[in-house]
Each structure stands twice: as C-alpha cells, then as structure tokens.
Amino acid sequence: MTDADALDTDGLTRREALKAAVAVGGAAGLAACVDRLDGADPIPAGDGPAAHPERQYAWNEFVRTDDAGNWQLPTHQTLLYLTLPGDAPPTEAERETVRGALDALDEAYAWSHEGLLHSAAYSPTYFERFADPLAVPDDVSLPQPTPLADYETPDFDTQDVLVHLASDRPDAVLAAEQALLGEADEVNDVSVPSALTDALDLDARRTGFMGAGIPHEKGDGLEGVPEPNPIPEESPLFMGFAAGFRQNQATEDYVAIGEGPFAEGTTKSVGNWRQRLADWYGEQDFDQQVMEMFSPGHAEEGLVEGVGTNLGDDSLIDRFADSVVADAAEYGRVGHAQKAARANRDENGDPLLLRRHFESADDDIASLHFPSLQRSIDQFEAVRRAMNGVDATEATPAVRQRVNNGILEYIFVRHRGYFLVPPRSLRALPTASGQQG
Ligand code: HEM
C-alpha cells in the first residue's frame, strides 16, 4: 500500500480526498486539502512572468515523463470560463487587473508540475469586440465552434476567457483559483494585487484529473460507469487504455503560430465528452475493445497488452491508417485512433494535434475534458470529422454512424469551445491586432 492509498480516519484514501478537494473548490476545498497535506513539502516559488516561457503551453519540458518518455500531464486540473461584461473592448484598467492577477501566479509558483502550469486563452467571441480582424497568419483559423457530426448537439462555450490551471499539487491549483476569483489576497506567500473577477465574471468551473489508477478509484457510483466497477486499476482513462503516446502527438514547436503579433501562441479546442461505458465493458471483450480503440490490426497482431503501455512511445497506428475501409469490410469494426490518424498527419507524416485530455467526475458523471492544441482550429475539425468514419459506414452495414465505429457509441459531446492561446507577454486581454496596452 502506498502512502497515497493509506486510509485516513474518515475512510477516504489520501488521494481520493485530495481529488475531492479540487472538485469541491473554494475555501472548503483548500482547507480540506491543506489538512491532508499537513507536513508536505513547500510548493516551489516562481521566477515571475518574464522568466517563464513565452509559450503559455510550454508544459512538456516541465512535467514528468514515464519510462518510455511519454509526457505525463499534471494530476489535478481546473478550467475556469470567464466573461468580460458588455460588448466593448476592454479598458486599460481591466487589462491591468487581469495582468496583475496572472502575473502573481508566475511569482508565486515555479513553472512545473510541482508548482503550477497555467494558461489564459481567448475565444472568437472575445475578439469580435474589436474593429480590427484577428492578426494571425493565413494558416491559422479561429472560427466559432460548430457541430462536427450530424448528431452532435454540444453547448458551445463562447465565454471570452478560458484559464487552465494544472499541477500535481492540489493545494497549488486550489490556492491559485482562490486568488484568481478574489477569495484570497495572498498565494504561496505572494500578495495578489487584483483578482480576475475584479474585471471578469466567472461563468463555469470544471475540474479533472490524470493518472494511472485514478479513474478506477473515482469510478464507483459515477454516472456512466457500470457496477461492479470494471475500470482496470492501472488505467489512466475511464475506457481502460493509455493515450498520448509521444510519437502520436504534435510537438509544441509544431503547434506554435509562426509569425505576427501572436507568434509563439497556438489555438486550443476544448470539448467535454460524457462517457457511457456499460456496453463498452459489458458487451465487448478485450480484443473488440482494442479493435474499436486502436484498429482491428492491433487486435489481430496482439499489439496491445493490458492498458497498452507496452506500446512504449508509439501506438503503431500509422501501419493501419490506410486500411479503415478494408478493415470495416473485413472485421465489421474500425478503430478510433486509426480513423483519427488519417487526418492527423502532415505531408511529412508528422502529427498535427497535441492532445492534452484529462478525465473528470464533475456532477458525478464520468466525462473527459479534451483540450487539444494545434496551429489552426481547422486541423482539429478535420481530425474530429475523420472520426465520423463515413467511408467505413458506406463499406458495410455492420459499421453504422455510431455502432462498431471506433468509440462513438460510448462518448457524447456536451460542450465545445475554441480559443487562441496568446504568447505570455500578450495574455492579458489582448486586442485583436495583438497589442496590449
Ligand atoms: C472519451 C473520449 C476519448 C478517449 C477515451 C480517447 C482515447 C484515445 C486512445 C486510447 C488513443 C490511442 C493512443 C494515442 O495515440 O493516444 C487515441 C488516439 C487519438 N485520439 Fe482519442 N480519445 C477520445 C476522444 C477523442 C476525440 C474527441 C478526438 C478528437 C479529435 C480524439 C482524437 C484522437 C487522435 C487525433 C488520436 C491519435 C491518432 C494518431 O495517432 O494520429 N480522441 N484516443
């Protein structure tokens, strides 16, 4: 039994209690968390915004990696969706307020999974306040979000600002949130000159977690997870497999906007996907799961063991990306990764999307928050549309719109929003032409 698994007096493991604290949030969450972490190491302080990377999404060098070199996202994550009241461009005072709140986080916390990683991003609705068009190169698009399949009916996140907080330290995520929301005037011994909520209104708060074992631990009693809890204990995802293999991810260099005032920024799509896993676990054996998650070839050749960490740093999907239609005809099933990969490569075979998804138990529902970074939103949309597998449905009646068609039978999009992640120096209420004060 690890320390994190040790039972406290109220019967929760320490890890369960910490995750619950982030989900609850606010002063109560932080207090519960600090109690549990009594005696924990201090959280390393930051060097200020000028010393932290210009790319707000420069996380890869600052997180843990596993034995195969795959980047491990921070355990605790929170998404704050905020709006700027009215339709006018922000005032200089509002900009200063936002700048002060965000700069304080860089003073307070080291830029690392042991401190705090964070970013502020802006929606197309935000940029519509300005007379000028968004100053991005021709290869960058930032449209309003839209359904990407005939049957999709997500709520669109058109709030102005998305702030993303991530750390292995739940007390860092919670204290940072409190400071941003005006519930504390100090964060990790740094005084906070202003709160985001002095200028912006909080519209939605969503939380989640990443880490092998946590989905199983959290799974009992969640809507979407059948009983008895079938999620493999070593899985980082509710669906029982590992994801985010390094060779199947774009690099941060690749997703960086190349020129103009927003150079070194990127675009971010964030979906939230509810999962209904009774049939996934009840009606599919392991090989069928592998077929639908990866590809029929992966099952045929026995490439995936357990949750799939045996794959190392490459899902090997490139070998099967061209056989979607043939596999549909031969096996009556096609794979999720296989379909997505078809649209996720440039002419040199390099991946376009940097996926940073994490699981959630918000509202006691099993769901996945799916942030994806790419140079341009149209790349995300093409990959999502490729997941529809329309050509596979045309090849055989066995594959239907949402049946035997990857994992579409088990996942349901609830929210989708698109954002621009400016470079750090432009992260406080930038103008569309890329100025800041
Ligand atoms: C609950 C929902 C989802 C789960 C459990 C899931 C899981 C996985 C897994 C296990 C893989 C294979 C390993 C890897 O390369 O990471 C994968 C690949 C991938 N998934 Fe998902 N995924 C989900 C939703 C989505 C969505 C909504 C998209 C939207 C675009 C997406 C896009 C991709 C892409 C692009 C790949 C990589 C294919 C390649 O190699 O290029 N996934 N996913």
Side-chain angles (χ1 to χ4, degrees):
M1 183 183 269
T2 65
D3 192 34
D5 295 327
L7 287 182
D8 268 333
T9 43
D10 51 5
L12 293 176
T13 66
R14 198 169 85 132
R15 205 148 71 153
E16 281 168 341
L18 295 177
K19 228 81 59 201
V22 175
V24 168
L30 185 58
C33 179
V34 168
D35 275 359
R36 304 276 171 170
L37 288 171
D38 209 13
D41 291 337
I43 306 176
D47 304 312
H52 287 178
E54 180 68 341
R55 294 176 183 165
Q56 296 191 72
Y57 54 93
W59 293 13
N60 288 350
E61 272 180 57
F62 304 92
V63 296
R64 290 168 285 120
T65 51
D66 65 12
D67 293 345
N70 298 309
W71 299 296
Q72 306 290 288
L73 289 171
T75 315
H76 305 276
Q77 304 204 31
T78 295
L79 300 169
L80 302 174
Y81 292 81
L82 304 115
T83 52
L84 181 64
D87 297 327
T91 63
E92 201 41 48
E94 286 166 332
R95 190 166 285 133
E96 265 317 301
T97 299
V98 168
R99 192 198 319 271
L102 296 173
D103 284 0
L105 297 185
D106 286 311
E107 300 287 348
Y109 293 116
W111 188 254
S112 111
H113 63 102
E114 293 169 323
L116 183 75
L117 297 169
H118 53 94
S119 67
Y122 294 85
S123 69
T125 300
Y126 168 78
F127 288 114
E128 281 167 11
R129 296 162 181 276
F130 300 93
D132 293 329
L134 186 61
V136 289
D138 289 345
D139 67 348
V140 177
S141 67
L142 184 72
Q144 289 286 356
T146 184
L148 297 170
D150 296 344
Y151 48 82
E152 280 192 348
T153 54
D155 287 339
F156 294 121
D157 286 313
T158 56
Q159 302 90 339
D160 295 295
V161 189
L162 170 62
V163 172
H164 189 162
L165 306 173
S167 175
D168 286 346
R169 291 289 295 259
D171 43 351
V173 172
L174 281 163
E177 179 185 343
Q178 279 204 303
L180 294 179
L181 301 184
E183 294 162 13
D185 33 5
E186 239 190 32
V187 57
N188 211 23
D189 297 330
V190 168
S191 80
V192 178
S194 51
L196 287 182
T197 42
D198 295 339
L200 309 171
D201 295 329
L202 179 68
D203 182 73
R205 171 184 189 274
R206 301 177 195 155
T207 70
F209 45 85
M210 196 61 196
I214 308 176
H216 176 83
E217 218 171 71
K218 297 284 285 182
D220 288 327
L222 283 189
E223 222 178 296
V225 177
E227 288 174 11
N229 179 343
I231 302 163
E233 289 191 23
E234 58 287 4
S235 177
L237 292 177
F238 284 121
M239 292 193 77
F241 293 99
F245 299 100
R246 193 172 178 134
Q247 304 299 333
N248 301 87
Q249 292 275 50
T251 60
E252 289 169 355
D253 280 347
Y254 195 89
V255 304
I257 294 173
E259 55 192 61
F262 292 106
E264 303 300 333
T266 191
T267 73
K268 179 169 185 167
S269 153
V270 186
N272 175 259
W273 293 79
R274 178 184 187 136
Q275 299 171 62
R276 292 206 186 114
L277 302 178
D279 289 350
W280 174 249
Y281 283 109
E283 292 181 3
Q284 308 269 91
D285 64 24
F286 179 75
D287 276 351
Q288 291 167 332
Q289 288 182 342
V290 170
M291 285 191 191
E292 291 196 350
M293 185 59 86
F294 293 88
S295 78
H298 278 70
E300 191 67 34
E301 297 186 27
L303 298 178
V304 182
E305 293 163 21
V307 303
T309 41
N310 68 296
L311 289 164
D313 71 352
D314 186 344
S315 74
L316 305 176
I317 203 69
D318 291 271
R319 287 178 46 207
F320 306 99
D322 291 335
S323 58
V324 172
V325 171
D327 286 354
E330 185 172 352
Y331 299 95
R333 278 189 166 79
V334 290
H336 161 69
Q338 174 185 36
K339 286 181 295 167
R342 299 186 293 180
N344 190 31
R345 297 288 181 279
D346 69 6
E347 58 286 359
N348 301 320
D350 292 324
L352 308 178
L353 271 50
L354 176 50
R355 294 164 286 136
R356 286 191 168 156
H357 52 74
F358 55 98
E359 298 285 18
S360 174
D362 285 349
D363 308 322
D364 293 325
I365 294 170
S367 80
L368 179 93
H369 293 300
F370 193 99
S372 157
L373 304 177
Q374 52 283 309
R375 199 175 312 145
S376 181
I377 291 292
D378 61 283
Q379 297 171 327
F380 166 78
E381 292 189 334
V383 173
R384 168 63 194 90
R385 286 200 170 100
M387 264 169 65
N388 290 334
V390 175
D391 47 355
T393 65
E394 287 162 357
T396 166
V399 178
R400 302 212 296 275
Q401 202 174 47
R402 307 190 78 162
V403 178
N404 296 331
N405 194 347
I407 55 176
L408 293 174
E409 190 175 341
Y410 319 99
I411 64 173
F412 304 84
V413 65
R414 299 200 299 170
H415 299 281
R416 173 173 298 137
Y418 296 157
F419 302 88
L420 179 85
V421 186
R424 188 176 308 261
S425 51
L426 272 182
R427 71 179 168 187
L429 299 176
T431 67
S433 50
Q435 281 131 21
Q436 199 176 248

